């Protein structure tokens, strides 16, 4: 009987590949965690700490070091980290050298509510508790704060954060009893009455035209109220 050596070589090669694949899978499944690496991405201001996140993991799993890879459920670990109220998102993976790595994105506060209840408003418009380790420098929100006004405030804050001048200079938003919004500027004595949240772009464009002219004329300190609530107008009240 004639032996088909090419066929035999192919079968041997197939067996060898399958053996190597099985061996690799076995080694991978028994690989254990030898280190934990928590990385905070983005903002340098930390509203939580490595220690706080580690504590969450220890409370849930105990010590994760030396735990075999096959016993790890990475998406569950991500959800545990995300129970930290300062964490927006976490991605967890195991590196080839056995390091359990988590890349963490924190929530970002854009406003601070100082009412009966005190909390931040984050960049998704959600309530965010104060951090014990860092205080954000964001506009302070006061006045008649309700669910609707909080939605409007988020719209205002979002717009403010698209403009470098407004972001640096607006330090407060006050909610009036009539549902209008007043802005407090860092270096100026006047208050800006924004009215409602409609036509924000037009209102702020009008304000910047007024501000630049008044700065040039050196008349900014002549006013205590600048109103933007009227259509395509800036109405100023003198001291």
């Amino acid at each position: 009987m004639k032996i088909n050596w090419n066929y035999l070589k192919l079968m041997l090669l197939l067996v060898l590949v399958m053996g190597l694949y099985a061996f690799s899978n076995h080694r991978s499944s028994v690989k254990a965690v030898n280190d934990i690496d928590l990385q905070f991405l983005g903002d340098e201001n930390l509203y939580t700490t490595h220690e706080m996140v580690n504590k969450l993991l220890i409370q849930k799993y105990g010590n994760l070091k030396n735990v075999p890879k096959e016993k790890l459920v990475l998406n569950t670990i991500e959800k545990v980290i995300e129970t930290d109220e300062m964490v927006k998102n976490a991605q967890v993976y195991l590196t080839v050298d056995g390091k359990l790595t988590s890349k963490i994105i924190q929530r970002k506060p854009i406003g601070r509510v100082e009412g009966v209840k005190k909390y931040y408003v984050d960049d998704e418009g959600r309530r965010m508790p104060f951090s014990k380790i860092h205080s954000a420098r964001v506009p302070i929100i006061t006045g008649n704060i309700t669910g609707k006004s909080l939605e409007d405030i988020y719209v205002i804050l979002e717009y403010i954060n698209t403009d470098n001048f407004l972001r640096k200079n607006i330090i407060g938003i006050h909610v009036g009893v009539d549902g209008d919004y007043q802005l407090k500027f860092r270096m100026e004595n006047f208050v800006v009455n924004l009215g409602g949240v409609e036509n924000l772009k037009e209102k702020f464009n009008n304000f910047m035209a007024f501000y630049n002219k008044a700065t040039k004329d050196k008349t900014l300190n002549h006013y205590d109220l600048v109103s933007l609530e009227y259509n395509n107008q800036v109405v100023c009240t003198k001291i």
Side-chain angles (χ1 to χ4, degrees):
M1 186 176 100
K2 187 176 180 182
I3 298 174
N4 188 331
W5 292 104
N6 289 332
Y7 178 77
L8 184 60
K9 288 178 183 178
L10 181 62
M11 290 298 296
L12 288 172
L13 180 61
L14 183 60
V15 170
L16 179 62
V17 169
M18 291 177 65
L20 289 174
Y21 180 76
F23 177 72
S24 175
N25 273 354
H26 174 72
R27 288 196 61 185
S28 177
S29 66
V30 299
K31 183 185 294 182
V33 176
N34 60 38
D35 195 13
I36 297 174
D37 180 25
L38 302 175
Q39 302 175 15
F40 290 96
L41 306 181
D43 199 333
E44 294 180 358
N45 298 324
L46 296 183
Y47 299 98
T48 188
T49 65
H50 294 78
E51 291 76 17
M52 292 175 180
V53 175
N54 263 323
K55 185 177 179 180
L56 283 174
L57 295 175
I58 290 170
Q59 288 174 341
K60 179 67 176 180
Y61 300 105
N63 191 348
L64 279 170
K65 286 187 178 180
N66 299 319
V67 174
K69 177 183 176 181
E70 62 182 1
K71 293 187 177 181
L72 295 174
V73 183
L74 298 182
N75 62 346
T76 302
I77 297 174
E78 290 173 350
K79 287 181 172 57
V80 171
I81 294 174
E82 289 169 357
T83 62
D84 186 319
E85 291 184 300
M86 304 299 163
V87 173
K88 181 177 183 179
N89 177 264
Q91 292 184 334
V92 177
Y93 58 92
L94 190 66
T95 64
V96 292
D97 58 352
K99 182 181 293 185
L100 186 66
T101 301
S102 177
K103 295 188 175 182
I104 300 169
I105 299 175
Q106 297 181 99
R107 296 173 68 184
K108 182 179 179 181
I110 59 174
R112 178 185 179 116
V113 173
E114 290 288 344
V116 177
K117 296 182 179 180
K118 302 178 187 297
Y119 51 89
Y120 290 126
V121 177
D122 74 5
D123 59 353
E124 293 182 332
R126 298 188 296 134
R127 298 187 183 198
M128 173 180 171
F130 291 163
S131 168
K132 296 179 180 178
I133 62 173
H134 183 76
S135 180
R137 296 183 63 183
V138 292
I140 294 175
I141 302 157
T142 57
N144 185 35
I145 301 166
T146 64
K148 176 60 171 67
S149 63
L150 199 58
E151 293 176 7
D152 288 348
I153 286 166
Y154 174 60
V155 172
I156 297 169
L157 289 170
E158 269 201 311
Y159 189 93
I160 289 172
N161 281 300
T162 64
D163 184 277
N164 191 49
F165 174 83
L166 298 176
R167 184 174 62 252
K168 288 182 178 179
N169 287 280
I170 293 177
I171 60 173
I173 303 174
H174 182 76
V175 185
V177 292
D178 296 328
D180 57 345
Y181 301 95
Q182 295 181 337
L183 310 178
K184 175 64 178 175
F185 279 70
R186 185 180 306 280
M187 300 300 293
E188 312 303 339
N189 292 323
F190 58 75
V191 171
V192 175
N193 188 359
L194 188 63
V197 295
E198 66 283 348
N199 303 321
L200 285 183
K201 183 176 181 180
E202 180 182 345
K203 288 179 179 180
F204 280 114
N205 283 344
N206 290 339
F207 171 76
M208 289 308 303
F210 154 78
Y211 188 89
N212 290 331
K213 184 177 187 306
T215 299
K216 183 179 179 181
D217 296 341
K218 298 181 180 180
T219 58
L220 281 176
N221 60 351
H222 293 179
Y223 309 107
D224 59 5
L225 179 65
V226 177
S227 180
L228 307 177
E229 60 183 320
Y230 306 106
N231 290 336
N232 204 31
Q233 296 182 62
V234 177
V235 179
C236 303
T237 302
K238 291 188 176 183
I239 297 174

